[in-house]
Amino acid sequence: VRQRITQILTEAFHPAVLEVVDESHLHKGHGGWRPEGETHFRVRITSDAFRGASRVDVHRRINAALAEELKAGVHALAIEAKAA
C-alpha cells in the first residue's frame, strides 16, 4: 500500500520531497486498525503543484488522488504538504 501511495503521489504531483510513513503500529486497537498494518499513513510532500493553492485545496487534491486507496482500506491519512 505504501508503495502504491508513493507511486500515485509521484505521478500526480511530481514532488521535490515525498515521504510516506506507515504509522499503523501507533494506532493499535483504534478504529480501522488491522494487525497486518498499512491502515494509517503520514504523507510529507513538497511540490510546485501546490503553489498558490490553499491548504484545504491541497488536502482535497491529495485525497482525490488517493481515493481508491482510501476506499480499499487506508483508514487514516495525515498530510503535511507545502509548495516547493
Side-chain angles (χ1 to χ4, degrees):
V1 174
R2 188 184 65 76
Q3 289 175 331
R4 282 196 314 268
I5 291 172
T6 300
Q7 179 181 356
I8 290 166
L9 294 176
T10 298
E11 291 173 3
F13 304 111
H14 307 284
V17 176
L18 176 60
E19 183 181 7
V20 179
V21 180
D22 183 354
E23 295 185 339
S24 301
H25 65 284
L26 300 174
H27 301 273
K28 185 175 182 177
H30 296 179
W33 178 82
R34 292 187 313 256
E36 63 273 11
E38 297 199 307
T39 57
H40 295 70
F41 288 91
R42 178 169 304 276
V43 170
R44 294 182 182 102
I45 184 170
T46 303
S47 174
D48 282 332
F50 304 143
R51 191 170 308 278
S54 72
R55 180 177 171 202
V56 171
D57 184 48
V58 170
H59 283 232
R60 284 180 179 153
R61 291 171 62 191
I62 291 169
N63 281 313
L66 297 175
E68 292 303 315
E69 270 44 58
L70 293 166
K71 287 179 191 173
V74 172
H75 178 73
L77 185 65
I79 301 170
E80 298 173 21
K82 59 185 176 180

